Amino acid sequence: MDKVRRIGVLTSGGDAPGMNAAVRAVARTALTYGIECVGIRRGWQGLINTDFVPLTRASVGHLLSRGGTILYTARSKEFMTEEGQRKAASTCKFLGLDSIIAIGGDGTFRGAQALSKHGINVIGIPATIDNDIGCTHYCLGFDTAANTAIECIDKLRDTMQSHERCSVVEVMGRHAGYLAMYVGLATGATAVLVPEHPITNEELIEKIRRARLNGFTHYMIVVAEGSTPAGEVARIIKEATDLDPRVTILGHIQRGGSPNARDRVAATKMGYLAVELLAAGKTNRIVCTHDGGFTDIDMDEGLASRKSMQSMEVNVLAAMTGL
Ligand code: F6P
């Protein structure tokens, strides 16, 4: 691989707290290595449209604590076509970009994989509150999003406790239940509904019944958005019990906010590592966490790996809820 001279960095897919901190780390590390750095705005679509902004040490100042992404983000249909990828590759040539660092989730990395076939060096940094990328234990944004959800659920619990009610709270995660399970464990939920370990309606009602037998007078049901819809869960509970559940969909509030310490530090380390890989002549890699440390994996291999929810989480939840 030729010496890297100019890197483009972009954020794509759903935003996640820590994306800005990763952009800052990429730009500052690149400049430390004497490599120029350009921010591509609006994800892969921005690369097609030559939508960019030069990044300097100063221009990425004050980004550590900022939520969202200053580079904007998008989900590009055009980039999913061969023609779109060809256009993006010619923008890279036009801007003199030999490498792209793509910050986002699974879809973002598939885009990077496609671009690499056009001779561009690519590195992925995992960032999604869903934490559903198979090759990495941790994705940027997850911890901040979990804490946002926890704060909301703690507040809901106060009012549910006063009124002796049942609350059904829907948590994001697309097709995955990692966020819901983590949040459920952290908030002492009566039940957590995740797509990876579905429970029957009877089991759900039994959990509420057992909680009542154990002396509880309010109930918190955490539902992953990829599981049964929260409104439907509330209907099932209402039909089978004397409870009249209140539904709360936490929604996009979980994606906003200033990244917490874990996300700021992880984003800084991942951004640094991404540039280090390129400077060392490596390409087509995903930065990831493994065994508590930061490492990297071949992009094709990383995208082929699957994540599974640990049965320990399910067992711990069962022990906590007495079922
Ligand atoms: O992938 C992140 C995520 O927030 C998912 O949890 C959710 O299903 C989806 O994005 C929502 O996407 P949008 O912002 O397009 O509504």
Side-chain angles (χ1 to χ4, degrees):
M1 184 174 130
D2 291 342
K3 190 177 177 307
V4 172
R5 295 185 188 287
R6 207 166 194 226
I7 295 175
V9 58
L10 60 82
T11 51
S12 168
D15 63 354
M19 278 183 160
N20 280 328
V23 169
R24 169 184 177 270
V26 165
R28 290 202 171 163
T29 309
L31 293 165
T32 302
Y33 275 98
I35 301 168
E36 277 184 66
C37 190
V38 161
I40 306 295
R41 303 196 301 180
R42 303 178 175 87
W44 296 119
Q45 192 60 45
L47 198 57
I48 292 173
N49 299 343
T50 325
D51 186 358
F52 71 102
V53 55
L55 298 177
T56 64
R57 275 194 177 270
S59 73
V60 296
H62 311 295
L63 283 190
L64 259 183
S65 60
R66 258 180 88 171
T69 163
I70 56 145
L71 293 179
Y72 304 101
T73 183
R75 293 190 174 99
S76 171
K77 285 218 169 69
E78 192 181 353
F79 188 74
M80 284 157 81
T81 66
E82 180 61 33
E83 176 59 9
Q85 290 154 19
R86 210 188 43 72
K87 281 191 201 166
S90 41
T91 304
C92 289
K93 305 255 155 67
F94 174 70
L95 293 177
L97 300 174
D98 41 61
S99 315
I100 293 288
I101 295 178
I103 306 169
D106 194 79
T108 305
F109 296 165
R110 292 198 188 280
Q113 200 180 31
L115 190 68
S116 73
K117 310 264 183 312
H118 293 262
I120 310 296
N121 306 316
V122 294
I123 303 287
I125 297 180
T128 165
I129 66 161
D130 304 341
N131 206 25
D132 61 347
I133 299 177
C135 62
T136 184
H137 178 71
Y138 191 71
C139 299
L140 299 178
F142 177 76
D143 205 51
T144 304
N147 280 290
T148 300
I150 289 164
E151 197 185 328
C152 294
I153 293 175
D154 285 349
K155 286 181 176 156
L156 277 173
R157 187 180 282 286
D158 290 344
T159 170
M160 292 303 132
Q161 182 268 325
S162 311
H163 289 261
E164 300 180 278
R165 272 178 175 156
C166 175
S167 191
V168 178
V169 188
E170 188 179 294
V171 171
M172 271 191 171
R174 203 179 286 271
H175 307 299
Y178 302 107
L179 187 59
M181 181 55 83
Y182 195 75
V183 163
L185 283 171
T187 54
T190 314
V192 183
L193 273 57
V194 289
E196 293 86 348
H197 293 277
I199 59 170
T200 63
N201 295 351
E202 291 69 33
E203 284 169 328
L204 169 64
I205 301 304
E206 182 60 14
K207 281 177 190 283
I208 295 173
R209 203 184 62 82
R210 289 276 185 99
R212 181 169 275 176
L213 280 176
N214 285 329
F216 288 91
T217 58
H218 71 278
Y219 315 92
M220 187 61 71
I221 316 295
V222 174
V223 182
E225 68 170 329
S227 185
T228 316
E232 174 64 8
V233 173
R235 193 194 58 75
I236 292 163
I237 296 170
K238 188 168 181 176
E239 231 169 67
T241 67
D242 58 353
L243 296 164
D244 187 7
R246 295 297 192 263
V247 174
T248 306
I249 296 175
L250 295 181
H252 290 84
I253 200 153
Q254 295 160 101
R255 290 224 305 247
S258 176
N260 65 15
R262 182 173 184 186
D263 281 318
R264 292 181 196 196
V265 175
T268 304
K269 288 185 174 175
M270 285 183 170
Y272 171 84
L273 196 52
V275 177
E276 248 207 341
L277 287 168
L278 287 171
K282 295 187 188 161
T283 178
N284 214 34
R285 313 286 299 172
I286 298 176
V287 175
C288 52
T289 63
H290 184 68
D291 278 347
F294 291 85
T295 180
D296 58 284
I297 186 172
D298 173 72
M299 190 164 283
D300 303 334
E301 201 185 316
L303 280 172
S305 46
R306 293 279 151 264
K307 213 172 200 173
S308 60
M309 188 171 285
Q310 290 171 3
S311 53
M312 183 184 178
E313 292 181 326
V314 181
N315 296 340
V316 168
L317 186 77
M320 293 306 110
T321 55
L323 260 186

